[in-house]
Amino acid sequence: MARLSRRICATSLNQLSSADVTLIHRGRPWPLGSCVTARGVNFSVVAPAATRVELLLYADGQASEPARVIALGEENRSGDHWHVEVEETGIGTCYGYRVFGPLEPGGHGFNPSKVLLDPCARAISGWPVYRRDLAVGRRTNSAACLKGVVTERERFDFQSAPRPRHRWRDSVIYELHVGGFSRGDGCGVAPERQGTLLGLRDKLPYLKDLGVTAVELLPLMAFDPADAPTGRQNYWGYSPISWMALHPAYQVGRDPLAGRAQLRELVAACHRHGIEVILDVVYNHTSEGNQDGPTLSWRGFGDRLYYHQNARGDYLDVSGCGNTIAAHRPLVRRLILESLRCWALELGIDGFRFDLGVALSRGEGLTPLDHPPVFEEMEADPELSDLKLISEPWDCGGLYRLNDFPARRVATWNGRFRDDVRRFWKGDSGTTWPISQRLSGSPDLFDGRGAGSGRLVNFLTAHDGFTLLDLLSYNRKHNLANGESNRDGDNHNNSWNHGVEGPCSDPAVQALRARQQRNLLASLMLSPGTPMLLMGDEVNRSQGGNNNTWCQNNPLGWMHWPSDEEAWRMREFLRRLLRLRRELADVIDPATPMSNAAAAPESSLVRRWRSWHGVSVQQPDWAEWSHSIAWSVEERHGGARLWCGMNAYHEPMEFTLPICQNPWLLRIDTARPAGEDLPATPEAIGGATSVPLQPRSLVLLTDSGGG
């Protein structure tokens, strides 16, 4: 690659524009995108309905006109693919396309006035001159377009930095925003590295010490910051303009070729820390919006190919963003698979979380499919077989497939866990039975058995919603800063401010909120399934009641690096809680789901089961008015191994304990002061036959005999 790099650096505008120097060959249809060859670069794109294609070569990313236009004729076409090989080009070459063809129903489709970004480009240039508005309508955008950049396509060095490959039951996921995690006062990151991949690398010791095993990164794919209301910028990145290229704001420096190397550097460092990297990917829609949106890439190559539309050409939208990708079509899912392989095999990514992933299971006319081909193909790909795959089981068209997600290897975000656990600790009526199901692996959703390892990702909070502290500090959202008159964001949050809306100086309210944070975190970590944490929840991060900070690239949307003692106490509680979860993994989240059935002890095949209790052993109170529950894990020849009491009532309660062969050890009591609530050394409580639970508190006991 060094020879090619030197050659393109020496290539001048005169060379690019001289027909007797640059030689053109037919090229080949595979691989898609731009690929360095022995003679130059092979370019290939998909445009089934096009009648003519032009490859535009630019002297640099900010050039207003192409230095050379290469017309692709029928000799450059193989089926749906248009291709050409160009000599005297190489790594660093900037390029784009014009595509000609008929207009589609609705008056949209091919628009040769627009310079198009290659959907398979692995780097992008032209950001300083890019204008989204010029990609709309019939005006030319040649002077304000984005260009693809030819890059290497080398594979990640798994020999020196192998994947950690944690089992699902050993995994703890930490969701974060690369642009916000290493930002703000107290972050300890050099200014030029803040908000970048390398800035995140600098903070890996923090995450390793906390005890997480995976980071789930909000989208790294290049997106359009201008895809936002006037005066706002898109910050989260759920507005892709490319499925292959890295967003430039996350790299140090402006060289479009540097980002891939920096991402590899981050991933390698994560692997050496034993941390997996899961990437949030957006394949359900693009930044091109509906038929009135900009023509940036996909639309210009095949409007009717990539997007669900009706016969009139109206876009069908179940993404909430104006369009929906037709992922069931062969050429579209081929591009999605190519994107997954790019991130996983070239850049080392260990897994993917599919935004509104169930939308990818829709067929023609948005009909839900039980065997969506895009998931079947990714699951059949041997080089993707050891990745973690996660999806949201819902889309904006009302499809919700939590327990019957149409893919065998894809875990789903457990929204039922979030809602039922929040409602229980909030003190809602009729919540003891639902929370018992969530604490058991949701057997009510999986034919009476727990979901099993790798099926569910449990969470309390995520990027789209309240932070953990805000969940306990606000009764309603406060999103005026987003510029949409507080209309955006979810109105159904199951939150409770504990008597005061927002920040409060009352010590009693502060203490209750802190206790509730511990109750919620303990409930998450003591449940079967893979837990996910939100960036900053461990240090009392607040967004001021904003539950939709998608356009807040400022301290509101950044990580909180606190100096106050209470925040670090909360972090220490979570750190010890994660260590306790690892210690009790075989009891909390066994490889084979435990039975909840009362008849379990009668079967000689059942070695361990879960029993439910109220204030009296084996007498759970499932009534609408009940606000407390207890459960134990019991073994045929060992008695009770673990007991957990959960009191969401406003008065204390005394719980009788089941028989344990050894003295009980107190592991958690969230009513105790910080530091004592989860003691570093378990506290023996002797031959106690009952235990008091203070109002709105959780207690965990384990058998001192271990094993």
Side-chain angles (χ1 to χ4, degrees), residues 162 164 200-201 204 207 213 215 264-277 350:
L200 173 56
R201 181 190 173 181
L204 290 180
L207 295 170
T213 68
V215 288
R264 289 188 179 111
E265 186 177 339
L266 167 65
V267 172
C270 286
H271 288 181
R272 294 183 183 116
H273 278 83
I275 296 175
E276 294 176 308
V277 182
D350 303 298

Side-chain angles (χ1 to χ4, degrees), residues 375-376 379-380 405-411 454-455:
F375 286 115
E376 290 189 331
E379 290 183 335
F405 193 87
R408 294 179 300 108
R409 287 185 44 234
V410 178
R455 294 295 302 276

Side-chain angles (χ1 to χ4, degrees), residues 193-245:
R193 294 165 73 97
Q194 290 186 18
T196 68
L197 299 164
L198 298 184
L200 173 56
R201 181 190 173 181
D202 294 342
K203 302 303 296 184
L204 290 180
Y206 171 91
L207 295 170
K208 177 69 173 179
D209 179 70
L210 183 60
V212 302
T213 68
V215 288
E216 184 173 303
L217 310 180
L218 266 65
L220 295 184
M221 296 172 173
F223 62 90
D224 189 353
D227 189 3
T230 303
R232 302 294 187 274
Q233 280 201 333
N234 193 312
Y235 168 57
W236 281 352
Y238 292 90
S239 179
I241 59 171
S242 171
W243 288 338
M244 312 275 183

Side-chain angles (χ1 to χ4, degrees), residues 609-619 630-635 638-645 655-664 685-691 701-703:
W609 59 89
R610 190 187 307 266
S611 294
W612 292 95
H613 317 285
V615 293
S616 299
V617 174
Q618 300 291 349
Q619 296 183 35
W631 54 277
S632 60
V633 175
E634 306 192 22
E635 294 184 347
R641 285 281 314 280
L642 174 152
W643 180 90
C644 182
F655 283 76
T656 304
L657 297 174
I659 296 174
C660 180
Q661 290 188 351
N662 302 289
W664 286 110
I685 61 172
T689 59
S690 66
V691 63
L701 308 177
T702 60
D703 174 13

Side-chain angles (χ1 to χ4, degrees), residues 156-387:
F156 184 84
D157 184 4
F158 290 108
Q159 189 70 28
S160 61
R163 300 190 192 279
R165 298 185 66 201
H166 296 296
R167 296 181 301 177
W168 280 103
R169 61 190 294 241
D170 298 329
S171 298
V172 177
I173 300 170
Y174 186 96
E175 187 195 39
L176 65 86
H177 189 298
V178 167
F181 185 70
S182 60
R183 299 280 288 274
D185 296 338
C187 69
V189 175
E192 67 275 10
R193 294 165 73 97
Q194 290 186 18
T196 68
L197 299 164
L198 298 184
L200 173 56
R201 181 190 173 181
D202 294 342
K203 302 303 296 184
L204 290 180
Y206 171 91
L207 295 170
K208 177 69 173 179
D209 179 70
L210 183 60
V212 302
T213 68
V215 288
E216 184 173 303
L217 310 180
L218 266 65
L220 295 184
M221 296 172 173
F223 62 90
D224 189 353
D227 189 3
T230 303
R232 302 294 187 274
Q233 280 201 333
N234 193 312
Y235 168 57
W236 281 352
Y238 292 90
S239 179
I241 59 171
S242 171
W243 288 338
M244 312 275 183
L246 177 73
H247 191 61
Y250 300 149
Q251 69 177 61
V252 175
R254 297 184 177 181
D255 181 359
L257 298 176
R260 286 167 59 87
Q262 292 177 20
L263 179 54
R264 289 188 179 111
E265 186 177 339
L266 167 65
V267 172
C270 286
H271 288 181
R272 294 183 183 116
H273 278 83
I275 296 175
E276 294 176 308
V277 182
I278 299 170
L279 182 59
D280 200 335
V281 288
V282 185
Y283 296 123
N284 65 85
H285 74 278
T286 75
S287 184
E288 292 185 310
N290 61 21
Q291 55 263 36
D292 299 319
T295 298
L296 301 169
S297 179
W298 299 273
R299 171 180 287 135
F301 289 101
D303 184 51
R304 300 284 283 187
L305 167 67
Y306 286 106
Y307 297 116
H308 283 286
Q309 300 172 36
N310 62 22
R312 297 190 307 271
D314 301 321
Y315 275 43
L316 306 179
D317 178 16
V318 296
S319 70
C321 299
N323 63 59
T324 302
I325 289 290
H328 65 291
R329 294 172 183 159
L331 292 171
V332 181
R333 64 178 186 263
R334 176 70 263 170
L335 185 61
I336 293 173
L337 265 292
E338 178 71 6
S339 170
L340 293 174
R341 293 173 63 85
C342 169
W343 293 98
L345 304 180
E346 297 176 20
L347 301 172
I349 296 299
D350 303 298
F352 299 97
R353 178 265 191 188
F354 299 100
D355 175 64
L356 301 184
V358 79
L360 304 180
S361 73
R362 291 182 180 267
E364 289 301 324
L366 298 178
T367 301
L369 304 176
D370 287 331
H371 302 284
V374 67
F375 286 115
E376 290 189 331
E377 289 192 22
M378 71 176 70
E379 290 183 335
D381 190 327
E383 293 196 291
L384 304 180
S385 61
D386 61 348
L387 302 182

